[in-house]
Amino acid sequence: MTGMNITIQHAFLPHTDPEAALGFYRDILGFEVLADAGYEDMRWITVCPVGQPGTSIVLHPPAADPGITDDERRTILELIAKGVYTAVTLGTDDLDGLFDRLQAAGADVVQEPIDQDYGVRDCAFRDPAGNLIRVTGTPK
């Protein structure tokens, strides 16, 4: 295929508390809020790195699908809380600076910045819902 440009526009991460999610992604990571849409007692919050609205994360209520049973919903919430339901990897040109900011803000640190055997330097933490967030440093 030539002449076709495909991009990643949205990634989806569940949130269990919209205000905690905003506090983390907007206030700690510094992301912009592109949209904050509600329906009944649920909210879908779209955030992106500053100046990058073409690549965003939609923070969504977990298991909002009406076809999911109560048992399935409980299982999904348990997996989110364990941090094994979903993950996203971010990149930064200041890994240690971002790590310090997240740690100072009380983020749940999973792995301090280290040089991996496979050639990247990264760290990991969990957002307020328990989603695993890896951050890879970009080479200088």
Side-chain angles (χ1 to χ4, degrees):
M1 294 183 169
T2 59
M4 184 182 296
N5 184 22
I6 299 174
T7 62
I8 297 173
Q9 188 171 16
H10 304 293
F12 286 76
L13 290 177
H15 72 73
T16 53
D17 178 338
E19 292 306 317
L22 276 172
F24 183 78
Y25 288 93
R26 180 192 60 205
D27 302 337
I28 297 173
L29 283 178
F31 282 16
E32 295 180 66
V33 176
L34 298 177
D36 189 340
Y39 175 74
E40 295 181 355
D41 63 345
M42 298 177 285
R43 283 168 68 188
W44 287 257
I45 304 164
T46 305
V47 296
C48 72
V50 174
Q52 297 180 45
T55 304
S56 59
I57 296 173
V58 179
L59 304 165
H60 66 91
D65 186 325
I68 292 176
T69 68
D70 288 340
D71 285 342
E72 291 168 334
R73 188 170 283 109
R74 272 192 297 279
T75 298
I76 289 169
L77 291 171
E78 289 170 4
L79 292 171
I80 292 168
K82 285 180 153 182
V84 296
Y85 186 69
T86 191
V88 67
T89 300
L90 307 175
T92 181
D93 61 356
D94 185 5
L95 182 66
D96 294 309
L98 179 58
F99 178 83
D100 291 344
R101 184 168 75 195
L102 289 163
Q103 189 173 40
D108 181 8
V109 174
V110 174
Q111 172 202 305
E112 294 187 6
I114 61 170
D115 294 320
Q116 300 287 2
D117 292 340
Y118 44 89
V120 301
R121 181 170 172 75
D122 68 357
C123 67
F125 52 93
R126 297 193 199 290
D127 74 3
N131 297 305
L132 182 65
I133 312 295
R134 295 199 72 79
V135 182
T136 300
T138 55
K140 295 181 181 182

